[in-house]
Amino acid sequence: MNVELITKEDLEQFKTDIINEIRRYSPFNRKKDEQAKQWIKSFEVRKLLGISPGTLQNMRLKGTIPYKKIGGLIFYRYEGIVEMMNTKA
């Protein structure tokens, strides 16, 4: 049996790493007077959800994620993304 010891410093580093990841993807990580965008692009959705382009395409095809196509660009309503995340949780 392989035994590994975890020190208090290891846990502190782990906590710091997790907090930094949460802050990086948090919608609340904005300045006070900065408003959230109403519509966001595909790369922003992928970053927010941590998914690949193929996964995002599958979600569109299955109707899991609401979107609008304007010209050649696809936009997603930010509130729709938040609602989808809340219903899946």
Side-chain angles (χ1 to χ4, degrees):
M1 180 184 341
N2 215 359
V3 177
E4 291 186 35
L5 296 177
I6 299 175
T7 65
K8 186 175 180 180
E9 290 80 23
D10 292 337
L11 291 174
E12 287 294 326
Q13 181 61 45
F14 181 66
K15 179 181 84 170
T16 303
D17 293 345
I18 287 179
I19 289 172
N20 288 337
E21 283 295 310
I22 290 170
R23 285 181 181 154
R24 188 167 68 155
Y25 292 107
S26 173
F28 305 107
N29 195 17
R30 292 186 289 275
K31 297 175 183 140
K32 286 187 178 183
D33 57 347
E34 184 180 353
Q35 291 184 345
K37 293 181 183 178
Q38 186 175 1
W39 294 91
I40 57 178
K41 294 181 180 178
S42 295
F43 78 92
E44 295 168 310
V45 174
R46 291 195 322 263
K47 183 178 176 184
L48 182 66
L49 301 177
I51 59 175
S52 69
T55 301
L56 183 58
Q57 181 180 8
N58 286 336
M59 292 173 80
R60 281 194 314 263
L61 293 174
K62 291 180 182 178
T64 308
I65 191 167
Y67 70 96
K68 296 285 181 189
K69 189 168 184 179
I70 301 173
L73 297 175
I74 298 174
F75 293 94
Y76 304 84
R77 205 173 114 253
Y78 181 77
E79 292 298 322
I81 303 293
V82 172
E83 290 171 12
M84 181 204 63
M85 289 171 45
N86 288 335
T87 58
K88 298 292 180 188

